[in-house]
Amino acid sequence: DISFKKANDMSALILEGRPLAQKMRSALAGRIAALKRSSGRSPSLAIIAADDNPVTSAYIRAKLKACAGVGIEAAVHAMPPVEGAILSLIGTLGRNDAVDGIILVRPFPNDTNPRRVAEAIPPAKDAEGMSPANYGATFLTKTYAEAASGILPCTAFAAIELLRSAEVPVAGRTATVVGRSNILGKPV
């Protein structure tokens, strides 16, 4: 849930994300079914993650459930313990025509350079908008339509889409964003 305070009367507007998420999933499932009919296959997502972290394990289960719910085939690939092997795995998945998207689940192994890992993801297969090409494009767009035509950081896109769906005017408004994370704070 996100709350938005109106500047004129300081009353809060509670924005419920679940109905919007369900509407978006339904529309996506329809688009995926049409794609499957025309191409003969479902889209495929490769999830690279360490499997020894209970928090990330829950996140991965949620991703797998969401993918199955809309018709995306998803496979989890074990995060190799060293950066060179991670880069090699990303390269292999990036060249695989049967893989349409790649996400990396943090944390990375010690001594791994997150930027080098993000740079290895082919921009066209970057399902989270975190490769330098896609992430940088987020900051270069001038309109929502221009930004939405690319691959955006998911959490930031969700926050903006929630405001748009509630017809909350944001142009010319002042907002406080707590945190400067790459996935939400900076893009929003």
Side-chain angles (χ1 to χ4, degrees), residues 68-150:
V70 296
I72 295 173
E73 293 178 7
V76 179
H77 300 266
M79 176 87 67
V82 295
E83 182 179 309
I86 296 169
L87 297 175
S88 177
L89 176 59
I90 292 170
T92 298
L93 294 169
R95 290 185 300 276
N96 185 339
D97 290 339
V99 174
D100 299 298
I102 301 170
I103 65 171
L104 295 163
V105 180
R106 292 177 183 242
F108 297 139
N110 293 337
D111 299 324
T112 300
N113 181 319
R115 182 179 175 107
R116 268 197 302 266
V117 171
E119 288 171 346
I121 302 170
K125 292 190 178 191
D126 175 17
E128 294 184 303
M130 297 306 294
S131 70
N134 291 328
Y135 190 72
T138 300
F139 296 96
L140 296 175
T141 59
K142 295 182 179 173
T143 66
Y144 175 81
E146 188 180 353
S149 70

Side-chain angles (χ1 to χ4, degrees), residues 1-4 13-22 24 144 154-170:
D1 297 344
I2 295 177
S3 64
F4 173 78
L13 173 64
I14 305 298
L15 301 178
E16 178 62 48
R18 284 185 181 90
L20 175 61
Q22 183 55 44
M24 291 175 80
Y144 175 81
C154 304
T155 308
F157 177 70
I160 299 301
E161 194 60 29
L162 185 58
L163 292 170
R164 285 179 47 84
S165 73
E167 298 179 357
V168 175
V170 294

